[in-house]
């Protein structure tokens, strides 16, 4: 997605706040009941994909999406410009790291999409419309979309759309893909990486390759969740990874319950409010891969009408109430090693037709039990990726198998939306 100079930094920061609030709410829903599963996703990708979809939403459908995605903290007249400004600040060609995003609309060759929707998708999200034959060649269309996503994510997100995702009722697929690769400002030495125990619980542990280094890092405490916060900046300090490490092996449950956008902001502020102490850092070398079907989670959060063929109103796309969201699919990937990190994500929206004070001493930060992790753009405060590491398996940490409830293994993919017409007629519409 080509970046342009932002019109208003304040608008970008407000869009970041909306995305971050959605991120913390989504994380809480995914971890309800004290989940001990690995979780990783890109709120930036999901918010962007659904923001594109929101351009075509009207009535109660738009109201529900606005509430759940927290678009209501932005003035409607500048909402999409706010996301455009946020992208312009984050996705820069001259950045000291690789961070890029791409959006695209894939529409059925017989779908009559309103010119305003196509033009605004291009203006605000850099999303061009590509025409495919979903009815005559659904499988070829699926492979074509997946290939586009792979290319945008340096081959990290594969098979975003599973077999059968595209059928004769599919009318529109909105896709967002995001990719990040950055070197640590202070790299870990490979020679210091050694096998150590990662404690999943009081009675269960695994051997993992543990990286080590000693240096000055931003470090904070949040006694409300009995956790330490460590900032690991990437080169030039424009993007950082934050690790939130509970004191106790089972302490992540309290973080899950209380997580909020305000709490994330306070962690960043707390870590940076004093001179950086010397910290002995121990961090696992790990990979997280996960995919989600977010339908049930978004319904639970209050977005039900967009998935209901009888109630969905996306007339801003076609002029008629002839489309509803059949699936919101997200995949994400994170690799953390001595050099730095690599992360990717993609989101697809598929639409169908119906039928505290720090002591003056060396501190130790040993991430040898479950912790929360997020990657943050330091200019805007936008959370690019967020998740939790609970169950390492050797030197690779994988998610569970995909499910309608939202957790699984896979790549990092954001923003793929498919629009379809209401329940099928006797024969597929041309």
């Amino acid at each position: 997605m080509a970046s342009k100079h932002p019109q208003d930094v304040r608008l970008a920061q407000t869009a970041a706040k909306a995305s971050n609030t959605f991120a913390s709410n989504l994380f809480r829903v995914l971890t309800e009941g004290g989940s001990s599963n690995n979780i990783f996703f890109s709120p930036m990708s999901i918010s962007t994909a659904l923001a594109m979809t929101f351009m075509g939403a009207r009535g109660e459908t738009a109201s529900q999406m606005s509430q759940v995605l927290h678009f209501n903290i932005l003035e409607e007249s500048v909402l999409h410009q706010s996301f455009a400004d946020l992208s312009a600040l984050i996705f820069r060609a001259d950045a000291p790291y690789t961070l890029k995003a791409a959006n695209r609309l894939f529409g059925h060759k017989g779908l009559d999409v309103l010119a305003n929707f196509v033009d605004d998708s291009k203006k605000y999200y850099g999303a061009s419309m590509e025409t495919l034959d979903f009815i005559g060649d659904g499988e070829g269309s699926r492979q074509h979309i997946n290939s586009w996503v792979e290319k945008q994510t340096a081959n990290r997100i594969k098979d975003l759309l599973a077999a059968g995702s595209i059928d004769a009722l599919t009318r529109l697929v909105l896709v967002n893909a995001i990719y990040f690769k950055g070197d640590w400002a202070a790299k870990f030495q490979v020679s210091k990486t050694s096998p150590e125990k990662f404690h999943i619980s009081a009675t269960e542990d695994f051997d993992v390759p543990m990286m080590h280094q000693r240096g000055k890092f931003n470090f904070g405490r949040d006694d409300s969740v009995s956790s330490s916060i460590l900032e690991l900046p990437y080169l030039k300090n424009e993007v950082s990874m934050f690790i939130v490490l509970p004191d106790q092996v089972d302490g992540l449950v309290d973080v899950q319950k209380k997580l909020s956008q305000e709490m994330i902001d306070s962690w960043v502020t707390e870590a940076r409010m004093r001179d950086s102490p010397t910290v002995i850092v121990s961090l696992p070398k790990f990979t997280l891969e996960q995919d989600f079907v977010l339908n049930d989670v978004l319904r639970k959060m209050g977005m039900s009408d967009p998935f209901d063929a009888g109630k969905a109103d996306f007339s801003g796309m076609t002029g008629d109430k002839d489309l509803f969201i059949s699936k919101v699919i997200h995949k994400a990937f994170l690799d953390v090693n001595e050099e730095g990190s690599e992360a990717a994500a993609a989101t697809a929206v598929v639409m169908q037709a119906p039928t505290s004070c720090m002591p003056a001493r060396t501190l130790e930060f040993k991430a040898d039990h479950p912790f929360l992790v997020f990657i943050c753009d330091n200019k805007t405060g936008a959370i690019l990726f967020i998740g939790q590491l609970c169950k390492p398996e050797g030197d690779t940490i994988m998610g569970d198998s995909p499910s309608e409830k939202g957790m699984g293994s896979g790549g990092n993919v954001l923003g793929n939306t498919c629009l379809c017409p209401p329940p099928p007629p006797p024969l597929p519409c041309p």
Side-chain angles (χ1 to χ4, degrees):
M1 183 166 56
S3 297
K4 299 179 181 179
H5 187 72
Q7 294 185 11
D8 192 332
V9 173
R10 291 171 300 176
L11 288 181
Q13 291 171 334
T14 306
K17 182 178 179 181
S19 179
N20 291 359
T21 305
F22 168 71
S24 59
N25 291 347
L26 176 59
F27 188 89
R28 282 203 313 274
V29 173
L30 290 173
T31 58
E32 275 184 357
S35 171
S36 58
N37 292 311
N38 294 324
I39 292 174
F40 189 68
F41 63 92
S42 171
M44 189 72 191
S45 173
I46 299 171
S47 291
T48 301
L50 290 173
M52 287 196 296
T53 311
F54 180 74
M55 282 198 304
R58 299 292 183 269
E60 182 61 19
T61 296
S63 178
Q64 290 182 9
M65 293 183 72
S66 179
Q67 290 286 333
V68 171
L69 298 165
H70 295 274
F71 293 163
N72 51 5
I73 71 172
L74 289 153
E75 291 184 28
E76 188 174 348
S77 61
V78 296
L79 190 154
H80 301 293
Q81 183 61 52
S82 301
F83 272 90
D85 287 350
L86 180 59
S87 293
L89 282 171
I90 292 176
F91 304 107
R92 299 174 11 248
D94 62 343
Y97 45 77
T98 301
L99 179 57
K100 58 183 181 179
N103 299 308
R104 182 156 293 191
L105 308 176
F106 297 93
H108 177 57
K109 65 179 183 180
L111 182 67
D112 187 13
V113 181
L114 295 176
N116 282 349
F117 180 77
V118 175
D119 292 344
D120 285 347
S121 296
K122 180 67 175 178
K123 176 182 178 181
Y124 296 115
Y125 298 97
S128 300
M129 169 73 85
E130 183 174 349
T131 300
L132 299 174
D133 184 1
F134 293 142
I135 294 177
D137 188 15
E139 178 58 17
S141 298
R142 181 184 74 88
Q143 291 180 7
H144 178 80
I145 295 171
N146 284 347
S147 177
W148 181 85
V149 170
E150 283 189 37
K151 183 178 179 181
Q152 304 305 320
T153 60
N155 299 316
R156 285 302 189 181
I157 304 299
K158 298 178 183 292
D159 298 322
L160 174 64
L161 298 176
S165 298
I166 302 296
D167 58 27
L169 293 177
T170 302
R171 292 296 177 267
L172 182 64
V173 180
L174 299 84
V175 184
N176 165 271
I178 183 171
Y179 176 78
F180 168 76
K181 187 172 184 178
D183 289 343
W184 300 122
K187 296 182 181 180
F188 293 81
Q189 292 183 25
V190 176
S191 61
K192 293 184 178 179
T193 299
S194 59
E196 290 190 23
K197 298 294 184 185
F198 186 96
H199 304 279
I200 293 174
S201 68
T203 59
E204 187 179 6
D205 56 48
F206 279 89
D207 284 331
V208 298
M210 190 73 75
M211 304 183 296
H212 302 275
Q213 71 165 294
R214 175 185 175 130
K216 290 189 176 295
F217 294 95
N218 289 336
F219 182 95
R221 282 286 305 172
D222 185 349
D223 290 331
S224 72
V225 288
S226 302
S227 297
S228 298
I229 302 101
L230 180 74
E231 179 179 5
L232 294 173
Y234 296 96
L235 206 59
K236 302 295 185 182
N237 298 321
E238 294 185 21
V239 175
S240 293
M241 174 180 285
F242 285 83
I243 307 290
V244 181
L245 180 68
D247 297 342
Q248 304 300 321
V249 172
D250 59 356
L252 192 56
V253 173
D254 198 32
V255 177
Q256 294 167 352
K257 290 178 181 177
K258 297 178 180 177
L259 186 69
S260 66
Q261 179 260 324
E262 292 80 9
M263 179 170 278
I264 292 173
D265 285 349
S266 73
W267 288 337
V268 175
T269 301
E270 166 66 19
R272 295 173 175 173
M273 69 184 299
R274 58 184 62 81
D275 291 341
S276 303
T278 299
V279 185
I280 299 173
V281 179
S282 300
L283 181 69
K285 181 177 177 179
F286 66 92
T287 299
L288 272 171
E289 296 183 70
Q290 193 146 54
D291 63 28
F292 302 85
V293 176
L294 292 169
N295 296 24
D296 289 348
V297 176
L298 292 171
R299 285 192 189 100
K300 189 172 185 178
M301 294 174 73
M303 230 177 85
S304 57
D305 283 13
F307 297 96
D308 188 322
K311 296 180 179 179
D313 182 354
F314 289 101
S315 54
M317 294 183 179
T318 62
D320 295 313
K321 297 180 182 179
D322 56 353
L323 296 174
F324 71 98
I325 297 177
S326 63
K327 282 187 179 181
V328 177
I329 302 165
H330 181 77
K331 284 193 173 187
F333 166 90
L334 173 66
D335 179 67
V336 175
N337 56 42
E338 292 89 352
E339 296 289 320
S341 302
E342 184 179 21
T347 305
V349 182
V350 180
M351 308 194 76
Q352 291 188 340
T355 85
S356 40
C357 291
M358 305 310 305
R361 59 183 176 82
T362 299
L363 302 167
E364 184 173 11
F365 188 92
K366 190 167 187 176
D368 64 351
H369 55 274
F371 56 80
L372 182 141
V373 56
F374 61 94
I375 297 175
C376 174
D377 174 73
N378 293 330
K379 299 179 296 298
T380 63
I383 298 171
L384 304 175
F385 303 90
I386 188 170
Q388 65 182 31
L389 177 61
C390 295
K391 295 181 178 178
E393 298 176 5
D395 62 355
T396 302
I397 298 165
M398 303 287 290
D400 298 326
S401 55
S403 76
E404 278 291 322
K405 294 186 177 179
M407 285 181 279
S409 64
N412 188 2
V413 180
L414 296 175
N416 188 343
T417 303
C418 297
L419 292 169
C420 310
L427 293 174
C429 300

